[in-house]
Amino acid sequence: FVAHCSDVFSTEVRDAVPDEVVLSMCGKAGGSEEECKAMVLGFWKAYNASKVGAWCDETYEWFAKRTLPKCASKCTAYFCKERCSLRERWRDLQDQAEAYKIRYNQYEKALNRTLAKSGLEDLKKKLTKYNISKCVPAAENVTRLNRTLGGIRANWSGIEAKLPNLTATREAAFAAAKSAKEAL
């Protein structure tokens, strides 16, 4: 690992140095943001001092302490040997639980980012505002108009009931006026 690390990170082309990989892998191994940034800063100090090999040794030790599994039955790498006491297995389980917590937090952050980017909260606020400003007054208007319509229908039915009498009275008045006109 150290030899390969030295070869990869000792390139003369500064822009070709994959420092973002260090930051990413550090985070995936459970390093805090500060630890990971410090690791990258340490790398650049080592790079500028042409001591990348020493940085690779430190980084190897850091990852060896952080990565799972630690027991030889699960890991064939050299640094996994001599680590499988009952206490180490307990630590493996604790590390695994911590890894699950980290993964959960990552999913939760991703979900929150997705919700924030989706604009659903803004849409909900806009719909609520629209509902309050347009729909509620419109519903109140519909209720008021239905009451008015009910009153009009009641009046109309009263008029319809009186219509035959009024028509007969009108016809009688018309007939009386006609006969009075003829008598003249």
Side-chain angles (χ1 to χ4, degrees), residues 41-168:
L41 287 174
F43 163 73
W44 284 112
K45 286 179 186 176
Y47 181 85
N48 292 332
S50 298
K51 295 183 180 178
V52 175
W55 176 83
C56 287
D57 285 334
E58 289 176 21
T59 305
Y60 177 83
E61 289 299 321
W62 187 89
F63 277 96
K65 290 177 186 173
R66 289 288 186 137
T67 55
L68 292 175
K70 294 181 176 120
C71 292
S73 64
K74 298 178 192 169
C75 179
T76 58
Y78 181 75
F79 71 85
C80 293
K81 309 290 185 206
E82 301 175 15
R83 289 191 178 184
C84 284
S85 68
L86 188 57
R87 174 181 259 171
E88 289 299 320
R89 288 183 184 161
W90 173 252
R91 287 184 188 150
D92 281 349
L93 291 173
Q94 288 177 322
D95 289 347
Q96 189 175 14
E98 187 64 29
Y100 285 131
K101 287 178 190 175
I102 290 168
R103 179 61 67 184
Y104 172 79
N105 289 337
Q106 288 173 338
Y107 285 134
E108 191 173 43
K109 286 177 184 176
L111 176 63
N112 290 336
R113 269 193 316 272
T114 302
L115 288 175
K117 288 180 182 178
S118 69
L120 290 177
E121 286 297 319
D122 290 338
L123 180 60
K124 182 180 176 183
K125 288 176 185 175
K126 288 177 183 176
L127 286 174
T128 302
K129 183 179 177 183
Y130 183 83
N131 187 28
I132 291 170
S133 67
K134 303 289 184 192
C135 297
V136 171
E140 290 171 357
N141 285 342
V142 168
T143 303
R144 191 172 49 248
L145 290 173
N146 281 335
R147 274 190 247 131
T148 304
L149 181 61
I152 291 171
R153 283 185 179 148
N155 288 339
W156 185 256
S157 63
I159 291 171
E160 283 180 333
K162 294 178 184 177
L163 189 59
N165 289 339
L166 292 174
T167 304

Side-chain angles (χ1 to χ4, degrees), residues 5-53:
C5 172
S6 294
D7 290 342
V8 169
F9 287 97
S10 293
T11 180
E12 291 182 11
V13 181
R14 189 176 178 90
D15 291 337
V17 175
D19 59 344
E20 69 277 359
V21 173
V22 174
L23 190 63
S24 171
M25 296 306 288
C26 175
K28 288 179 182 178
S32 69
E33 189 175 343
E34 293 174 11
E35 286 177 304
C36 296
K37 285 181 179 179
M39 187 181 289
V40 172
L41 287 174
F43 163 73
W44 284 112
K45 286 179 186 176
Y47 181 85
N48 292 332
S50 298
K51 295 183 180 178
V52 175

